[in-house]
Each structure stands twice: as structure tokens, then as C-alpha cells.
Amino acid sequence: MALLKPGASAILTEGHWGDWFDGLGGLSVYLPPPQKQRIAPDYASLAFAHDAGWQKLLAVYHEAAV
């Protein structure tokens, strides 16, 4: 839960296989399935969720699937 607080690192885990991947970067964002997983109430306080509009997208996505 500490990683979900504002100012914490967005990287929860990292791993790769082989030298070819050294130096590459990116970010994967999990899209929780509607009606199977709820959106954590604290998610809206994350800078990424707010600044990128991801919290709003998730809310609309989950509402449309009901």
C-alpha cells in the first residue's frame, strides 16, 4: 500500500531476460476488469492517475460495463 501513496515509485517490479533488453524502459498499466475488481479508493490520489486522466478513464470504463 505504501507504493500507492503520492510521491511513491510507480515501478512495482522489474525484470528482463538477456542483454538485449538492458537500457530499455517503459511502463505497463493494469486495466482492472469491471465487475471483477474494484478501483481502490486511494487510486485517485496518485499523481499518474490524476495527471494522465487514468482515474477518470477507469471510472467511465467501469460504469459503461455495468
Side-chain angles (χ1 to χ4, degrees):
M1 291 308 295
L3 292 173
L4 297 177
K5 292 183 180 177
S9 174
I11 301 172
L12 301 180
T13 187
E14 187 280 333
H16 62 273
W17 194 313
D19 295 340
W20 187 89
F21 296 98
D22 289 347
L24 296 179
L27 176 68
S28 295
V29 179
Y30 180 61
L31 185 61
Q35 302 174 352
K36 293 189 179 192
Q37 288 185 338
R38 67 179 180 84
I39 302 168
D42 293 336
Y43 188 74
S45 66
L46 294 174
F48 169 77
H50 181 265
D51 295 347
W54 195 256
Q55 172 65 22
K56 188 174 182 178
L57 179 137
L58 285 178
V60 171
Y61 173 64
H62 278 244
E63 289 171 14
V66 175

